[in-house]
Amino acid sequence: MKIAIAGSGAIGSGFGYLLKKGGHEVTLMDFWEDHIQAVQQNGLTIAVNGQQDNIDIPMDKPENIQEKFDVVFIFTKSMYLQGMLEAIEHTLAGNTKVVCLLNGLGHEKTIAEYIPKENIIMGTTVWTASLEAPGKTSLMGQGPVEVQEVDPKGKEAALTLVQVLSDCGLNGIYSADVHFTTWRKACVNGTLNTLSALLDANIEELLQSDYVQHLIREIVEEFSRAAKAKGIGLEVEEMITYLNEASKKVGTHYPSMHQDIMNKRPTEVDFLTGEVAKIGAKNGFKTPKSQTLTELIHAKEDVLGISREH
Amino acid sequence: MKIAIAGSGAIGSGFGYLLKKGGHEVTLMDFWEDHIQAVQQNGLTIAVNGQQDNIDIPMDKPENIQEKFDVVFIFTKSMYLQGMLEAIEHTLAGNTKVVCLLNGLGHEKTIAEYIPKENIIMGTTVWTASLEAPGKTSLMGQGPVEVQEVDPKGKEAALTLVQVLSDCGLNGIYSADVHFTTWRKACVNGTLNTLSALLDANIEELLQSDYVQHLIREIVEEFSRAAKAKGIGLEVEEMITYLNEASKKVGTHYPSMHQDIMNKRPTEVDFLTGEVAKIGAKNGFKTPKSQTLTELIHAKEDVLGISREH
């Protein structure tokens, strides 16, 4: 298969590497000059669960790539999705499948502005990755990658993709309800990431506080109501149990939004609590916690001088 | 006059010093052993606007003081007011005036549990002070101290107090509406202190953010509504203008709640946005911003391991 990775940072490089090792024709796309140069000159150096390797793999800016692809995986921050779609539009054929594993809500609608719904495959993944230096990355975990079509006509493509992912060691799973999985993940991030970033605390420190537990419940109630407005059943008690269970495994981990704030990068808050607040406003119900948290995170970006331009 | 200072930290020591220099019989009361010992052994060392002095002044724990006083000034953190009243109750005669210049809301009601309303004098001050070491403090500013009785029968006592304060260089002013002044000050603190503590930003950094300005407006609207429920006219536009004007003078200053958080001390948030949320709940209107901010500040105390026991 001819596969492109649109956004080849830590996680994108990891997927690109395993797909290429699995026998596919893979092209990495990104905008970061230093990273592109490093990969072009020295290949991609990568450790998959500690296993070091170096491979030659084509990498360039989208504007320099003239081919069309069978499948494009998008790995950008939520707020750069639209810009990336603009940049790669010329590489999409009428039947190119676009796979979106981004965190956050509302992405399907954004992608549907560029390609037919039957070509969209949505999903989530728990693979983690880090980028140590230009051209040097690592991939951690065992996955899985859960994916599902968003239009019945796309089911065959989704099943093929699951096979491709699994054959390449990425642990593909066909999701029976990708919308639910996406919302559940967004709800975990919308509670723990925002509170961690705002209170400068790791997951373990957060969950010990009764006030945090109270806030989590209120935020989850808003996510549940917004999910319902979108036809998705996100049950409050189940969600709170899931969230506390999932958190036990990560303990002293600082979520990505905390890292964004510490490194003075814009956060994805608009696609988490921000999207819940938007859905509430559209459907006539109040989301005081989601709205306040979104405003406070943006206020925090402001006082740190973080630009939200993209 | 026989005057006691109940809570003789930075600001209390400053008031005690100037009142004693003005010819009154002043006793300092506090609970901090090291500070009491230092003052007992070496006197109180103080700089008033840079002017150094050292005086002998009686100081002890309330339980060791058996006299009764004409006037008692209370200078504690809001959450220690009730405990202080318990501790000094035996020093209050039937006609002892209690003067409360604390920040925050709801104190009058607490004091009225211990003495008749006609003996309560409420006020605000803009004197600032710091405590460098046990027995060593400084007082800065020119005041004023605005005071007013809360019961018409207390007016003469309030006017006498204004005279005493002015004679001693503390710049006493008779306030025409001490409830308004208290609410206005609480509103400044309830917006800027909470946001500064939460976002780890000084006043100047805060006010540059559009998101902060938006949050300030929403918080002020809630303060205005709660004030109205208490019969006090706190007009939103006037308050926002006042707040921005007052803030220009303090620029890079970090408010006291930020300092509390940095020094891992409990905050006074329950007597600012917390009180607004309580008034809202009692009077059947929503205060989402005040409530969320109060919860977030308490969550921040929790993750820092700050105890709220007193």
Side-chain angles (χ1 to χ4, degrees):
Chain A
M1 253 181 194
K2 249 175 100 101
I3 298 174
I5 308 290
S8 303
I11 187 92
S13 292
F15 270 60
Y17 167 78
L18 285 175
L19 289 163
K20 188 169 169 72
K21 287 298 257 190
H24 299 282
E25 192 184 323
V26 179
T27 302
L28 304 181
M29 302 195 280
D30 207 85
F31 295 105
W32 186 17
E33 303 267 10
D34 293 353
H35 186 40
I36 295 170
Q37 259 184 36
V39 172
Q40 284 176 347
Q41 284 167 17
N42 312 314
L44 175 70
T45 302
I46 185 166
V48 180
N49 288 322
Q51 185 83 31
Q52 284 286 343
D53 198 6
N54 177 283
I55 55 159
D56 281 328
I57 188 165
M59 181 168 198
D60 216 328
K61 290 191 180 175
E63 69 219 54
N64 297 331
I65 290 166
Q66 298 313 325
E67 308 151 72
K68 304 222 185 262
F69 299 94
D70 301 318
V71 178
V72 178
F73 285 83
I74 303 194
F75 288 111
T76 63
K77 284 271 188 182
S78 295
M79 53 281 200
Y80 306 132
L81 172 61
Q82 183 118 31
M84 181 58 88
L85 286 163
E86 295 281 346
I88 65 167
E89 206 175 359
H90 65 281
T91 70
L92 307 175
N95 62 348
T96 302
K97 309 297 175 235
V98 169
V99 185
C100 172
L101 306 178
L102 304 198
N103 284 330
L105 304 167
H107 302 318
E108 189 180 314
K109 210 175 142 194
T110 305
I111 300 172
E113 293 169 26
Y114 295 84
I115 59 167
K117 278 211 165 192
E118 64 202 72
N119 288 343
I120 304 175
I121 296 174
M122 298 299 291
T124 56
T125 182
V126 293
W127 283 100
T128 58
S130 66
L131 199 151
E132 284 96 42
K136 194 160 184 292
T137 68
S138 55
L139 186 71
M140 284 87 67
Q142 292 98 39
V145 186
E146 289 190 46
V147 296
Q148 191 188 24
E149 71 285 356
V150 304
D151 182 290
K153 283 186 237 157
K155 181 159 188 181
E156 210 190 297
L159 291 170
T160 306
L161 182 68
V162 167
Q163 197 57 54
V164 165
L165 289 167
S166 285
D167 291 346
C168 296
L170 278 158
N171 193 4
I173 289 180
Y174 181 74
S175 171
D177 193 351
V178 77
H179 288 129
F180 171 75
T181 320
T182 303
W183 270 86
R184 188 174 59 184
K185 194 170 181 192
C187 185
V188 172
N189 291 337
T191 48
L192 298 180
N193 282 19
T194 51
L195 291 172
S196 167
L198 208 52
L199 302 175
D200 189 17
N202 66 35
I203 303 292
E204 195 174 279
E205 291 166 338
L206 284 180
L207 296 180
Q208 280 167 5
S209 161
D210 288 345
Y211 274 98
V212 169
Q213 290 287 354
H214 178 71
L215 283 159
I216 285 175
R217 175 168 293 272
E218 294 181 299
I219 304 165
V220 168
E221 281 167 0
E222 294 178 4
F223 266 84
S224 175
R225 199 154 178 204
K228 200 177 169 194
K230 291 280 179 186
I232 294 142
L234 199 72
E235 212 271 315
V236 174
E237 296 307 326
E238 261 175 47
M239 189 62 228
I240 288 171
T241 306
Y242 175 83
L243 199 147
N244 277 284
E245 287 300 317
S247 302
K248 274 184 198 154
K249 296 177 204 156
V250 292
T252 56
H253 170 73
Y254 285 90
S256 60
M257 197 184 290
H258 184 277
Q259 294 173 36
D260 288 337
I261 288 293
M262 287 292 133
N263 294 305
K264 301 203 175 187
R265 294 184 301 240
T267 70
E268 298 185 290
V269 73
D270 282 337
F271 303 88
L272 298 166
T273 49
E275 189 70 16
V276 168
K278 228 187 270 173
I279 294 169
K282 222 176 187 170
N283 292 272
F285 60 87
K286 304 247 184 225
T287 55
K289 289 293 178 283
S290 299
Q291 212 184 320
T292 307
L293 281 171
T294 306
E295 288 165 3
L296 283 167
I297 292 288
H298 283 320
K300 181 79 187 171
E301 291 168 347
D302 283 352
V303 301
L304 289 172
I306 298 171
S307 165
R308 280 183 296 273
E309 298 296 318
H310 34 87
Chain B
M1 253 182 194
K2 252 175 97 104
I3 299 173
I5 308 291
S8 304
I11 186 92
S13 293
F15 270 60
Y17 167 77
L18 283 176
L19 289 164
K20 189 170 169 69
K21 287 297 256 189
H24 299 282
E25 195 184 321
V26 178
T27 302
L28 304 182
M29 302 195 279
D30 207 85
F31 295 104
W32 187 17
E33 303 266 11
D34 292 354
H35 186 38
I36 294 171
Q37 261 184 35
V39 172
Q40 283 176 347
Q41 284 167 17
N42 311 314
L44 175 70
T45 301
I46 185 166
V48 179
N49 288 323
Q51 185 83 30
Q52 284 285 343
D53 198 5
N54 177 283
I55 55 160
D56 282 328
I57 189 165
M59 182 167 197
D60 217 327
K61 291 191 182 175
E63 69 218 56
N64 298 330
I65 290 167
Q66 298 313 327
E67 308 151 70
K68 303 220 184 264
F69 298 94
D70 300 318
V71 178
V72 177
F73 286 83
I74 302 194
F75 287 111
T76 63
K77 284 272 190 182
S78 297
M79 52 280 200
Y80 305 132
L81 172 60
Q82 182 118 30
M84 181 58 87
L85 286 163
E86 295 281 347
I88 65 167
E89 207 177 356
H90 66 283
T91 70
L92 308 176
N95 63 347
T96 303
K97 309 299 173 236
V98 169
V99 187
C100 173
L101 306 178
L102 305 196
N103 284 331
L105 303 167
H107 302 317
E108 189 180 313
K109 209 175 142 191
T110 305
I111 301 172
E113 293 169 27
Y114 295 84
I115 59 166
K117 277 212 166 191
E118 63 203 70
N119 288 345
I120 304 175
I121 296 175
M122 297 299 291
T124 57
T125 182
V126 293
W127 284 98
T128 58
S130 67
L131 198 152
E132 283 96 41
K136 195 160 184 290
T137 69
S138 54
L139 186 71
M140 284 86 68
Q142 293 98 37
V145 187
E146 289 191 44
V147 297
Q148 192 188 23
E149 71 285 356
V150 303
D151 181 289
K153 284 187 237 158
K155 181 158 188 181
E156 210 189 298
L159 290 170
T160 305
L161 182 69
V162 167
Q163 196 58 53
V164 164
L165 289 167
S166 283
D167 289 347
C168 296
L170 278 159
N171 194 4
I173 288 180
Y174 182 75
S175 171
D177 193 351
V178 77
H179 288 129
F180 171 75
T181 320
T182 304
W183 269 86
R184 188 175 59 185
K185 194 169 180 190
C187 185
V188 172
N189 292 337
T191 49
L192 298 180
N193 281 21
T194 50
L195 291 172
S196 168
L198 208 53
L199 302 175
D200 188 15
N202 65 35
I203 303 291
E204 194 174 281
E205 291 166 339
L206 285 180
L207 296 179
Q208 281 167 5
S209 161
D210 288 345
Y211 274 97
V212 169
Q213 291 286 353
H214 178 70
L215 282 158
I216 285 175
R217 174 168 295 272
E218 293 180 300
I219 304 165
V220 169
E221 282 167 0
E222 294 178 5
F223 266 84
S224 175
R225 201 156 174 201
K228 200 177 167 191
K230 291 282 178 185
I232 293 140
L234 198 73
E235 211 272 315
V236 174
E237 296 307 325
E238 261 174 47
M239 189 61 227
I240 289 170
T241 306
Y242 175 84
L243 199 148
N244 276 284
E245 287 300 317
S247 301
K248 274 183 198 154
K249 296 177 201 156
V250 292
T252 56
H253 171 74
Y254 285 90
S256 59
M257 196 182 292
H258 184 276
Q259 294 173 35
D260 288 337
I261 288 292
M262 287 293 133
N263 294 305
K264 301 202 176 187
R265 294 184 303 239
T267 70
E268 299 186 290
V269 73
D270 282 337
F271 303 88
L272 299 167
T273 48
E275 188 69 18
V276 168
K278 229 186 270 173
I279 294 170
K282 222 177 187 170
N283 291 272
F285 60 87
K286 304 247 186 224
T287 55
K289 289 293 178 284
S290 299
Q291 213 185 318
T292 307
L293 282 171
T294 306
E295 288 165 5
L296 284 167
I297 292 288
H298 283 321
K300 182 77 188 173
E301 291 167 348
D302 284 353
V303 301
L304 289 172
I306 298 172
S307 165
R308 279 182 298 273
E309 299 295 319
H310 34 87

